[in-house]
Amino acid sequence: MNILMVAAECVPFIKTGGLADVVGTLPKYLKQQGHDVRIIIPKYRLIDGAKYNLQALPYKLSVFVGKEQENFRIKTCMLDGNIPVYFIENLRYFNRLGVYGDDSGVGYGDNRERFIFFSKAAIEATKALMFRPDIIHCHDWHTGLIPAYLKTTNLNDGFFWNTSTVYTIHNIAFQGSYDAASTVPLAGFSWEDYKSDKLEFYNTFNYMKAGLAYTDIISTVSPTYAKEIQGPAGKGMEVVLQTRKNDVYGILNGIDYSYWNPKDDKNIVANFSADNYENKKLCKKYLQEKCGFKQDENAFMLGCVSRFDMQKGFDLIMDAIGKLTQFNIQIVILGSGDRYIKDGMLYLQSLYKDKVSVCTDYNEPLSHQIYAGADAFLMPSKFEPCGLSQIIALAYGTIPIVNKTGGLADTINDFSTYNTKGNGFVFDFYKGEKFIDCVLRAYDIYKNQFLWNEVMKNAFASEYSWKNSVQEYENMYNVAVNRKTAYNIYQKNI
Ligand code: ADP
Ligand code: GLC
């Protein structure tokens, strides 16, 4: 199959969260299955053209955003030596210091225009490149307009005769909902399209709804989240999802175990593995020193690496810190995003300096050091489509403490002292006391070396690799392709 991924982020070039990991990793596994996979992302200023040896292609292209003609170029390089990545370069929209917004966590005022532009440019770039996709796989609200264009403005475009679209929801909380009166003409849709109930959401123009309503197949990143969003967790999209329930797939993300591997991770002070994890103690010692904590082997060290977003349960974490620091518990937090969470966390650090350390940066090496050095990993998310951090933590023998929701429910099982099964600690109701009880339960087990070793063994043995999920993606793509073929045969015969 010819598969084109279109997204707003992709590792290693640009990342704000797990979306980038998925877009940069799944293609490698699809490629191994023999597919021709390519990726289109914006060329943000943050992407270092020299580092990745980006080459400009000789096309001068343009699209309209409202009445404005926007020129763009395509730059390219190879991911892993065999996956072409195309970068859409337009200085007005992408030559900025941030990805979605500035440092303070506030989104750019013209994100609406930026992703109209990007979606249209991705379609034009595909045609210029003469790459005829069987599947265009779109991710999150930023690319929701692509399936809509292919079924409206580009409906009779023969280039896409064999193309089906798959639209993956990584997070239904971000939908891209804008004033309809100005967005419909800006995006280039007709008022008939708008009134067709595929773009309109409570009198606004909604990018996520456009993707869900027009795409051939919908997927999301865990089976539990796929069910949850067809109910109250759907943030208004539940009705659209229910009407398309036969087209909704929930496929669990994997992680790249060649990258997240304590055995040869270059970012950590001492390597270790599931068979011999004595060196994990050195990683903990190093992290304690770095955080300015007492180098006490018995202290229970909790780590957290996360976007600063209320989705991630920071209200519970902030409320719990006063209580947890009464025990021999140390907490290290790495996060960036929401300004209020950042200020709150820094305030708590100032109150409990010897037990709480906060880094408000995006810092890849430090994230590895936390995954490797902490004993347990905090992820009490209010909702979690899949979550990669808990899976990464497992790979480093760091025990996730999670709320039972979405992908966390699909990947983490509560440890039981009766049968020593379970790879983490799970609480079942989003409430402060439940979270604190859960952490203290983990702390009790931690004090029993035998039991803690059992949890660690279970964690190391849990594998969520792309090897399984890639087959589910292939099956899903095949459904789309077969449907399209049948439809085209039918069209030819009438
Ligand atoms: P989400 O996509 O909702 O942010 P995931 O758990 O799917 O959550 O993925 C988060 C990814 O981003 C993980 O790879 C995590 O290590 C990384 N990450 C998040 N915040 C930071 C940060 N401040 N510094 C480094 N890596 C981070
Ligand atoms: C989103 C979700 C996260 C998921 C990631 C990759 O950012 O919040 O749960 O793991 O996308 O799919």
Side-chain angles (χ1 to χ4, degrees):
M1 276 183 262
N2 285 350
I3 301 165
L4 178 69
M5 298 271 167
V6 190
E9 12 181 321
C10 172
V11 289
F13 312 105
I14 189 83
K15 167 170 165 180
T16 71
L19 168 64
D21 293 288
V22 174
V23 176
T25 313
L26 171 61
K28 297 183 189 176
Y29 288 83
L30 290 165
K31 184 82 194 179
Q32 282 167 17
Q33 301 294 102
H35 303 294
D36 186 345
V37 197
R38 308 191 185 189
I39 303 169
I40 296 187
I41 60 169
K43 165 67 181 75
Y44 302 102
R45 180 167 164 182
L46 288 164
I47 297 176
D48 184 344
K51 179 173 169 193
Y52 297 111
N53 192 20
L54 302 193
Q55 303 294 319
L57 294 176
Y59 309 111
K60 283 192 177 145
L61 302 167
S62 68
V63 292
F64 278 90
V65 178
K67 293 200 167 83
E68 297 279 324
Q69 186 168 7
E70 288 293 339
N71 299 325
F72 68 95
R73 306 199 64 161
I74 308 173
K75 288 191 164 167
T76 188
C77 72
M78 287 288 183
L79 175 64
D80 255 23
N82 60 10
I83 299 170
V85 183
Y86 304 109
F87 300 82
I88 303 291
E89 185 174 69
N90 168 285
L91 299 185
R92 179 206 289 229
Y93 289 129
F94 297 122
N95 193 29
R96 308 184 180 179
L97 291 177
V99 176
Y100 306 121
D102 60 22
D103 234 13
S104 63
V106 178
Y108 290 127
D110 61 349
N111 276 342
R112 166 178 77 158
E113 288 84 346
R114 295 172 84 215
F115 290 105
I116 290 173
F117 164 74
F118 177 62
S119 298
K120 287 189 163 190
I123 291 174
E124 288 313 306
T126 311
K127 291 165 71 171
L129 293 162
M130 290 299 290
F131 179 66
R132 288 178 193 272
D134 296 301
I135 299 286
I136 299 186
H137 189 158
C138 305
H139 299 263
D140 267 354
W141 77 269
H142 323 100
T143 56
L145 299 186
I146 293 177
Y149 286 132
L150 293 191
K151 294 260 171 69
T152 57
T153 52
N154 292 63
L155 182 63
N156 296 319
D157 191 336
F159 189 85
F160 296 108
W161 176 251
N162 284 319
T163 301
S164 305
T165 49
V166 170
Y167 180 72
T168 296
I169 305 162
H170 293 264
N171 196 333
I172 214 157
F174 301 105
Q175 299 187 353
S177 201
Y178 297 106
D179 163 66
S182 54
T183 311
V184 171
L186 198 64
F189 291 100
S190 70
W191 287 104
E192 281 69 43
D193 294 333
Y194 178 68
K195 285 182 199 134
S196 70
D197 193 34
K198 290 194 162 91
L199 299 170
E200 187 269 344
F201 181 68
Y202 293 103
N203 292 324
T204 66
F205 181 102
N206 187 299
Y207 288 46
M208 171 76 70
K209 180 162 176 188
L212 295 177
Y214 280 108
T215 193
D216 295 304
I217 297 277
I218 297 166
S219 83
T220 188
V221 287
S222 70
T224 296
Y225 194 61
K227 283 190 212 119
E228 286 172 351
I229 56 178
Q230 294 181 46
K235 305 216 182 273
M237 292 297 143
E238 52 272 28
V239 179
V240 192
L241 288 162
Q242 281 158 17
T243 51
R244 301 211 53 191
K245 65 173 187 289
N246 293 332
D247 298 329
V248 178
Y249 292 71
I251 306 176
L252 201 64
N253 288 333
I255 59 163
D256 185 347
Y257 283 96
S258 64
Y259 180 71
W260 296 108
N261 186 352
K263 223 173 175 170
D264 54 19
D265 189 329
K266 304 262 178 318
N267 293 298
I268 61 180
V269 282
N271 292 111
F272 57 92
S273 68
D275 306 323
N276 181 354
Y277 46 88
E278 197 52 29
N279 275 352
K280 188 166 164 61
K281 290 187 183 149
L282 296 178
C283 295
K284 176 171 175 179
K285 204 165 166 212
Y286 172 83
L287 189 61
Q288 285 174 321
E289 191 184 349
K290 195 161 184 165
C291 295
F293 297 159
K294 195 163 136 203
Q295 288 183 25
D296 174 2
E297 213 182 290
N298 295 323
F300 186 40
M301 198 170 190
L302 306 175
C304 172
V305 178
S306 177
R307 278 186 296 117
F308 278 161
D309 188 305
M310 277 306 172
Q311 169 197 344
K312 302 291 178 179
F314 278 102
D315 46 349
L316 298 191
I317 294 179
M318 288 197 258
D319 281 351
I321 281 178
K323 174 89 192 234
L324 296 179
T325 45
Q326 291 169 16
F327 300 85
N328 191 9
I329 291 180
Q330 301 170 333
I331 304 168
V332 48
I333 305 222
L334 167 64
S336 56
D338 185 289
R339 194 177 91 211
Y340 297 101
I341 298 178
K342 175 176 164 182
D343 291 348
M345 290 309 314
L346 289 174
Y347 175 66
L348 287 163
Q349 172 181 245
S350 73
L351 291 184
Y352 307 102
K353 251 199 219 73
D354 54 339
K355 287 195 162 175
V356 176
S357 170
V358 177
C359 176
T360 61
D361 222 3
Y362 186 90
N363 188 330
E364 189 70 19
L366 179 58
S367 74
H368 291 242
Q369 288 150 18
I370 294 176
Y371 287 121
D375 296 302
F377 190 84
L378 298 181
M379 203 155 167
S381 307
K382 198 172 280 174
F383 66 92
E384 195 60 73
C386 177
L388 300 174
S389 294
Q390 83 282 13
I391 304 178
I392 300 170
L394 290 171
Y396 287 77
T398 300
I399 309 305
I401 298 177
V402 306
N403 180 25
K404 189 172 184 176
T405 182
L408 297 173
D410 291 335
T411 52
I412 308 301
N413 302 308
D414 196 34
F415 181 73
S416 152
T417 45
Y418 297 111
N419 58 16
T420 67
K421 287 204 173 122
N423 57 1
F425 294 90
V426 182
F427 62 101
D428 201 355
F429 193 66
Y430 191 81
K431 215 165 184 265
E433 303 94 85
K434 295 277 179 195
F435 172 56
I436 292 175
D437 285 353
C438 190
V439 177
L440 294 179
R441 190 156 56 83
Y443 179 46
D444 271 345
I445 303 281
Y446 174 75
K447 286 186 279 188
N448 179 325
Q449 212 169 358
F450 168 77
L451 288 177
W452 193 255
N453 271 322
E454 293 300 303
V455 202
M456 283 182 77
K457 278 187 217 154
N458 297 342
F460 278 125
S462 318
E463 204 189 293
Y464 296 101
S465 117
W466 279 107
K467 279 189 203 119
N468 309 326
S469 303
V470 77
Q471 276 162 13
E472 293 186 53
Y473 273 101
E474 278 187 299
N475 294 342
M476 179 175 77
Y477 293 158
N478 275 325
V479 171
V481 167
N482 293 339
R483 223 192 257 173
K484 186 78 180 181
T485 311
Y487 176 79
N488 285 347
I489 292 171
Y490 168 77
Q491 285 285 322
K492 258 192 199 152
N493 292 335
I494 52 172

